Amino acid sequence: MPLRPKVIYGWGLRRTETSKLDVVDFGRNAKAPQFGRYGTLNVRYGKAKKGQPPRRRNVLSVMDWAVEAVADYAENVRPRFGCEDHPALWVTERGGRAAIADRLFMAAMTWETSAAPPS
């Protein structure tokens, strides 16, 4: 499964919440030290009620495979973009915040399910 859908599923996020994540949004959870600095996720731009600002919430990490995927990306892949000073978790090769386009996301999900081995 591609990385972003793992993050969406692993922490129960919406696509827009995922696209607005920053590196500093992850933190430690004293009750789950096995996840290290990825024990909690601070969602700053959650779904808003009509006429209200976005709601903030903290989500605890429970899926070890999701934590491993994010840790690998943040520590090994993201630095290769040369955007160490950029706050966004998802960055482009040009140094900006990567958006999650609905059409691309759905294409990736379709490809993933069609590429799955027969059961």
Side-chain angles (χ1 to χ4, degrees):
M1 179 183 282
L3 179 60
R4 288 188 195 173
K6 282 186 179 182
V7 172
I8 290 171
Y9 182 77
W11 281 275
L13 303 178
R14 295 170 180 85
R15 287 187 300 256
T16 56
E17 292 172 343
T18 306
S19 68
K20 294 179 181 181
L21 289 178
D22 286 344
V23 176
V24 298
D25 290 339
F26 287 96
R28 296 187 182 277
N29 179 356
K31 295 190 178 188
Q34 70 271 23
F35 296 134
R37 65 171 296 231
Y38 302 98
T40 63
L41 177 60
N42 179 22
V43 180
R44 293 173 293 115
Y45 297 99
K47 185 175 179 181
K49 291 185 178 181
K50 191 173 183 178
Q52 301 272 325
R55 300 179 101 184
R56 298 176 76 117
R57 62 189 169 108
N58 286 321
V59 183
L60 299 178
S61 301
V62 293
M63 309 285 188
D64 57 347
W65 49 264
V67 171
E68 290 170 8
V70 167
D72 182 52
Y73 170 78
E75 296 164 9
N76 300 317
V77 178
R78 188 180 179 279
R80 294 182 182 179
F81 287 102
C83 303
E84 293 82 17
D85 296 334
H86 199 290
L89 177 64
W90 313 110
V91 292
T92 66
E93 64 277 358
R94 295 184 182 186
R97 182 179 296 271
I100 298 179
D102 288 343
R103 198 178 328 168
L104 291 175
F105 177 79
M106 294 311 292
M109 293 302 290
T110 302
W111 174 82
E112 187 64 36
T113 56
S114 66
S119 43

